[in-house]
C-alpha cells in the first residue's frame, strides 16, 4: 500500500477516533449547511471527511479505500490519487451543500464522497481485475452506491452519513478517469453503466421528482 494512502487512512482513523470521544470537536468540524453557507466555515468541506459516525462506518470506508486505491495509483500515480480523493471529497460536499441549501440544519460526516470517486475511477480502469469479498469490483461498487441511494431517499433519524456526497464524488471520479484515459474508460462502459444505475435513479429523484432539497 502506498505511503500516501497510509497517511490518509491513518489521519482519518486518528481524527475519527478523536471525534468519537469529543463532541465539541465533532460538532466543530462536521459538514453542516448553515455553518458553511452562513458562517463561511469552508474547512468543513474537508474536515468532515475525516470524521465518522462509529467504528463500522470508519471501517467500511477505509476498507473500500484500501481495496480500490492500488488500481488508482497504478493508473494515475500519487498526484492523481490525491487529486481524485480530495477533488471527489470537495465536489461531493459542494453537491450536498447545493441540494440541501434550504435545510441549514442538514449535517453529515464521512469519507464516502472521496471514496466514491476512488471506487468509480478504479472500476473505470479495471472493472474485473478487482475483487472485494469475492465480488467483482463493479458489482461491489453497484451495491455500495445502491445502499447509499437507498439511505439517502429513505433517511433514518440515527443516520447522519453523507450519502449525497457519493453522487458528487462518483461524478468527479468518472470525469477525471475519462479525461485522463478516455479510450480505456470507454472500453469499460458496460460496467460503468451498470454501476451508474443507482446514481442515475438518485438524479431522477432529486432533479425530476424533487424529493430532496
Amino acid at each position: 500500500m502506498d505511503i500516501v494512502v497510509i497517511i490518509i487512512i491513518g489521519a482519518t482513523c486518528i481524527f475519527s477516533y478523536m471525534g468519537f470521544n469529543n463532541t465539541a470537536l465533532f460538532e466543530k468540524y462536521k459538514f453542516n449547511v448553515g455553518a458553511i453557507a452562513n458562517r463561511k466555515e469552508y474547512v468543513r468541506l474537508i474536515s468532515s471527511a475525516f470524521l465518522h459516525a462509529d467504528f463500522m462506518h470508519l471501517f467500511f470506508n477505509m476498507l473500500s479505500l484500501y481495496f480500490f486505491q492500488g488500481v488508482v495509483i497504478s493508473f494515475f500515480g500519487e498526484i492523481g490519487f490525491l487529486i481524485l480523493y480530495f477533488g471527489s471529497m470537495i465536489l461531493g460536499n459542494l453537491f450536498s451543500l447545493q441540494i440541501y441549501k434550504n435545510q441549514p440544519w442538514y449535517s453529515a460526516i464521512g469519507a464516502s464522497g472521496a471514496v466514491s470517486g476512488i471506487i468509480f475511477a478504479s472500476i473505470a480502469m479495471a472493472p474485473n481485475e478487482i475483487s472485494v469479498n469475492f465480488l467483482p469490483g463493479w458489482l461491489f461498487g453497484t451495491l455500495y452506491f445502491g445502499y447509499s441511494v437507498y439511505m439517502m431517499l429513505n433517511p433514518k433519524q440515527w443516520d447522519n452519513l453523507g450519502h449525497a456526497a457519493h453522487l458528487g464524488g462518483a461524478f468527479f471520479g468518472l470525469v477525471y478517469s475519462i479525461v485522463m484515459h478516455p479510450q480505456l474508460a470507454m472500453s469499460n462502459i458496460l460496467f460503468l453503466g451498470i454501476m451508474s444505475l443507482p446514481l442515475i435513479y438518485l438524479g431522477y429523484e432529486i432533479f425530476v421528482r424533487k424529493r430532496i432539497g
Side-chain angles (χ1 to χ4, degrees):
M1 185 164 56
D2 194 271
I3 185 63
V4 171
V5 182
I6 293 174
I7 291 173
I8 288 178
I9 291 178
T12 304
C13 289
I14 291 170
F15 199 62
S16 293
Y17 181 76
M18 292 170 62
F20 295 156
N21 300 283
N22 188 328
T23 303
L25 177 76
F26 189 90
E27 293 297 321
K28 181 177 181 180
Y29 291 110
K30 71 179 181 180
F31 178 92
N32 176 263
V33 171
I36 297 171
N38 300 326
R39 299 199 298 271
K40 314 301 181 186
E41 297 178 4
Y42 298 119
V43 66
R44 293 173 183 259
L45 295 173
I46 296 176
S47 63
S48 60
F50 290 87
L51 292 170
H52 287 79
D54 50 41
F55 280 110
M56 286 304 296
H57 181 211
L58 173 63
F59 175 77
F60 187 69
N61 269 338
M62 295 301 98
L63 180 66
S64 301
L65 177 60
Y66 169 76
F67 277 120
F68 288 96
Q69 51 83 28
V71 174
V72 169
I73 291 179
S74 67
F75 279 95
F76 303 103
E78 289 184 349
I79 299 300
F81 172 85
L82 291 172
I83 291 173
L84 270 167
Y85 192 80
F86 285 96
S88 299
M89 174 194 301
I90 293 170
L91 185 62
N93 280 332
L94 287 175
F95 179 70
S96 297
L97 190 64
Q98 175 62 29
I99 66 172
Y100 291 113
K101 61 184 177 182
N102 296 322
Q103 300 179 23
W105 60 87
Y106 176 82
S107 298
I109 37 82
S112 301
V115 174
S116 292
I118 295 298
I119 291 175
F120 221 99
S122 63
I123 296 175
M125 298 293 97
N128 282 317
E129 283 74 9
I130 303 169
S131 177
V132 183
N133 294 330
F134 305 105
L135 295 176
W138 63 270
L139 181 55
F140 176 84
T142 303
L143 295 174
Y144 180 93
F145 293 130
Y147 171 77
S148 299
V149 169
Y150 174 81
M151 291 300 294
M152 187 174 173
L153 296 175
N154 301 276
K156 311 297 181 183
Q157 187 173 4
W158 47 264
D159 180 45
N160 64 343
L161 310 186
H163 298 294
H166 294 193
L167 181 60
F171 178 78
F172 186 90
L174 175 61
V175 171
Y176 187 83
S177 299
I178 293 175
V179 169
M180 299 303 294
H181 297 284
Q183 293 183 335
L184 184 55
M186 287 300 98
S187 70
N188 295 321
I189 192 65
L190 175 61
F191 298 104
L192 289 173
I194 294 173
M195 198 170 64
S196 297
L197 290 176
L199 303 178
I200 293 171
Y201 177 69
L202 177 61
Y204 168 76
E205 292 289 346
I206 292 174
F207 297 112
V208 178
R209 298 190 62 193
K210 309 293 184 182
R211 278 189 59 183
I212 302 173

